[in-house]
Amino acid sequence: MNAKRIDKLATAVISLLVGVVVLILLSLIGYILVTGLPHISWHFLTSPSQAFLKGGGIGDQLFNSFYLLVLTLVISFPIALGAGIYLFEYAPKNWVTNTIRVAIEVLSSLPSVVVGLFGFLLFVVEFKLGFSILSGAIALTFFNLPLLTRSIENSLTAVPKLQREAGLALGFSRWQTVLGVIFPEALPGILTAVILSAGRIFGEAAALIYTAGQSAPILNFANWNPFSPTSPLNPMRPAETLAVHIWKINSEGIMPDASAVSAGASAVLIVVVLLFNFSARWLGNRIYRKITASK
Amino acid sequence: MANIITTRNVRLYYGDHEALHGIDLDFPKNQITALIGPSGSGKSTFLRCLNRMNDLVSGVTITGSLKLDGKDIYSPQTDVVALRKKVGMVFQQPNPFPFSVFDNVAFGLRLAGIKDHKLIQERVETSLKQAAVWEEVKDNLTDNALSFSGGQQQRICIARVLAVQPEIILMDEPTSALDPVSAGKIEELLLDIQDKFTVAIVTHNMQQASRISDRTAFFLDGKLVETGSTKQLFMAPKQEATSDYLNGKFG
């Protein structure tokens, strides 16, 4: 066999493998969308779920998922940004820094159910936060921090070194250089990282079962007092999210239309995660183009 | 002629390896000093000692005496940020910030604490004029600096440095990434600003050194071989190595 034929063969094999990956992905998403989309209606998206009757919706769960997402990002983004900037600019190159990096890597490979059980023992039981959105948000912060920190650091490192030198040579302090020069340039990458992590948070179930709980108390959407137990904004109430709801219906759902609700909820979940992913790309490209002035 | 920067016996080590072997070089005020020599001769490394950019490289140690206005550049009391405000730098690759032209030049002023918008506007205009790029950008001050040509970007970078009014400007091969016309414009502007600023320029282009500089220093293998007025060094070099290099026998 000559080099040319081997090259052709290799190309064919690689194309085939890629084809398999794409096929699996498409059939999975296709199946979920085809079985789920017919069940989605305005009523389904806005009404509360039913435990025993048919015709329940996912309104509260959908709201819970978004609320939990916002809370998690509010807690984890500042921490991840600080840690990312520290690792990028201030961390000395020694064993302490290396230990931090290894710790982050280990943390990022923790199974989410372990994070959930840890959160259960520490926040729910020990800190007496109970099954609450707050417990869930803190557990998801643990789950989200390593990857977010890593991708923020990567976005900062991706800014050309020359920019950092330019800032420092102009007599900017390190902090001014990071904040004024490097951060704006890394912003598209950072935003993409945040949105992609939002997709991961939105679809997470295992870490929430033991922290945010599996019950969805009746919410009164006219009550915006965050201390009232029926208020949707109360961070101390238990909150079943969409992903947890899907898990629960499939393991112990007794409503007559359980499979239809599960299919519809799964489709909604997939659509939202896809939206996160596409908007991350769109926004990242847009800001990148604006910043680099390329047309 | 007063020297603004004086250096004595400057040695620089990367770990254990000595890269600069005792450099004595002075920079007279309001003159252009050219640093020439083959690649790897240490001229850029030496230049980066003057505003402590080598601090960013790990494992570098510098010994000897380097003084700006009689004050030790490497003293523990030296405020590096303040030092770099006095010693500006222009790099080989144009590296404007990804902001508008105006913000590129105004940024340093704002960080220096200047709030008066009118003063900032004046300073931006003056600096862009000094950098000979005002006519080309004055109608597009809000455009992103990266949308201009390489030569224009480099002159915007020079304006950015001039705006914070340093005493001395270090230039590390500022024209080697540019076309001859753009390079010529930068040479012209250097001649125009030299009564206000002191310039130290590293260049591979010997015609450029002979055209614009008052004094020239020839580096070879981490040593300063010869220094003198540009005319003397080019017409009657004292060292054989200088004459060989100028005649293109190596390098």
Side-chain angles (χ1 to χ4, degrees), chain B residues 183-204:
Chain B
K185 283 183 182 161
I186 288 182
E187 288 181 17
E188 273 172 42
L189 85 89
L190 286 180
L191 292 172
D192 286 342
I193 61 169
Q194 67 162 324
D195 53 331
K196 291 194 190 68
F197 301 93
T198 308
V199 174
I201 179 171
V202 165
T203 177
H204 273 126

Side-chain angles (χ1 to χ4, degrees), chain B residues 158-188:
Chain B
I158 294 175
R160 177 174 75 181
V161 172
L162 296 180
V164 290
Q165 299 185 326
E167 293 176 26
I168 171 164
I169 301 167
L170 312 177
M171 301 189 135
D172 193 355
E173 300 183 39
T175 62
S176 64
L178 306 180
D179 63 275
V181 176
S182 302
K185 283 183 182 161
I186 288 182
E187 288 181 17
E188 273 172 42

Side-chain angles (χ1 to χ4, degrees), chain A:
Chain A
M1 286 230 283
N2 59 21
K4 208 171 164 185
R5 284 185 62 186
I6 295 177
D7 187 52
K8 269 189 180 166
L9 194 68
T11 312
V13 170
I14 292 169
S15 311
L16 188 75
L17 294 177
V18 172
V20 170
V21 172
V22 173
L23 200 70
I24 293 176
L25 200 72
L26 282 184
S27 53
L28 206 71
I29 294 179
Y31 175 76
I32 294 174
L33 290 182
V34 167
T35 48
L37 283 180
H39 301 291
I40 298 177
S41 62
W42 182 245
H43 171 80
F44 182 69
L45 290 177
T46 52
S47 52
S49 59
Q50 297 286 347
F52 310 109
L53 303 172
K54 71 188 255 156
I58 53 166
D60 294 352
Q61 282 79 5
L62 200 57
F63 176 83
N64 288 342
S65 284
F66 278 109
Y67 189 37
L68 194 70
L69 173 66
V70 170
L71 263 188
T72 307
L73 286 181
V74 165
I75 301 173
S76 57
F77 179 66
I79 303 177
L81 186 63
I85 289 178
Y86 172 79
L87 286 173
F88 166 72
E89 175 69 38
Y90 293 93
K93 288 187 182 101
N94 57 21
W95 63 270
V96 181
T97 311
N98 286 338
T99 314
I100 296 178
R101 277 182 218 277
V102 171
I104 289 177
E105 252 156 59
V106 171
L107 208 59
S108 71
S109 57
L110 272 188
S112 58
V113 67
V114 173
V115 176
L117 286 169
F118 171 78
F120 171 71
L121 287 176
L122 193 64
F123 310 122
V124 176
V125 178
E126 195 62 34
F127 293 169
K128 301 193 170 59
L129 294 176
F131 287 119
S132 62
I133 295 188
L134 192 60
S135 300
I138 299 175
L140 282 189
T141 296
F142 276 56
F143 172 72
N144 187 31
L145 262 186
L147 280 175
L148 194 56
T149 304
R150 180 59 107 53
S151 24
I152 288 179
E153 191 199 348
N154 285 347
S155 312
L156 293 171
T157 316
V159 175
K161 267 193 166 163
L162 270 173
Q163 294 290 339
R164 179 165 171 264
E165 289 195 336
L168 293 171
L170 267 181
F172 299 170
S173 68
R174 279 157 89 182
W175 177 239
Q176 287 171 328
T177 306
V178 169
L179 201 68
V181 178
I182 295 171
F183 180 73
E185 236 176 302
L187 198 60
I190 292 177
L191 270 181
T192 309
V194 169
I195 299 179
L196 288 179
S197 77
R200 272 162 31 90
I201 295 171
F202 201 84
E204 178 54 35
L208 291 173
I209 295 172
Y210 309 103
T211 50
Q214 307 169 33
S215 56
I218 303 295
L219 297 180
N220 174 6
F221 280 92
N223 179 357
W224 295 103
N225 172 10
F227 299 103
S228 156
T230 59
S231 163
L233 289 184
N234 184 349
M236 300 313 292
R237 67 181 170 86
E240 186 190 39
T241 64
L242 199 56
V244 173
H245 190 56
I246 294 170
W247 171 80
K248 204 174 125 190
I249 298 171
N250 284 298
S251 52
E252 54 191 50
I254 47 171
M255 56 284 248
D257 57 349
S259 63
V261 174
S262 160
S266 305
V268 171
L269 191 75
I270 288 269
V271 167
V272 173
V273 171
L274 283 178
L275 277 181
F276 279 140
N277 280 271
F278 287 129
S279 63
R281 287 188 154 215
W282 179 79
L283 197 68
N285 284 339
R286 211 185 130 94
I287 298 180
Y288 180 80
R289 251 184 268 136
K290 203 170 170 200
I291 276 184
T292 57
S294 57
K295 295 281 146 43

